[in-house]
Amino acid sequence: MIQEYIARPFLLEKMKFDLRVYVMLLSLDPMKIYLSREGLARFCTVPYKEPTTKNLHEIFMHLTNYSLNKYNDTFVHTDRLTDGSKRTITSVLIQLAKLGTVSSQFC
């Protein structure tokens, strides 16, 4: 897993989010990798504010982990794939394309 905390992240709906992409490495020599067509977007459940000594303890604002956020009262659980606290990457890319943030060719 590769991660880096970004103090001024790009937000969607005022929430911090991450994209989980699934890759399977079949062999090293020759290198053969499969990339899943779909992935997961995980959203925080509290609107983001830049880190300060007063809000660093607010895990629901800073961490996108589903295993944590599912316990917050503001977690939005839905069977729809286009909204809520867990979504498909495709739905997020479509939303970003509508905002002009990414090219629609990625959707």
Side-chain angles (χ1 to χ4, degrees), residues 24-34:
M24 181 170 43
L25 175 63
L26 289 179
S27 67
L28 292 173
D29 191 18
M31 180 152 313
K32 194 176 218 180
I33 298 173
Y34 286 101

Side-chain angles (χ1 to χ4, degrees), residues 1 8 15 38 45 52 54 62 72 95:
M1 184 173 357
R8 292 182 151 181
M15 302 288 187
E38 190 58 87
T45 51
T52 66
K54 293 183 180 184
H62 298 292
N72 192 359
Q95 195 172 3

Side-chain angles (χ1 to χ4, degrees), residues 5 7 26 28 31 40 73 105:
Y5 189 87
L26 289 179
L28 292 173
M31 180 152 313
L40 187 63
D73 292 337
Q105 72 182 5

Side-chain angles (χ1 to χ4, degrees), residues 1 7 19 28 33 35 38 43 46 67 71 75 79 91 95:
M1 184 173 357
L19 302 176
L28 292 173
I33 298 173
L35 175 64
E38 190 58 87
F43 284 75
V46 171
S67 59
Y71 295 111
F75 183 84
D79 290 333
S91 70
Q95 195 172 3

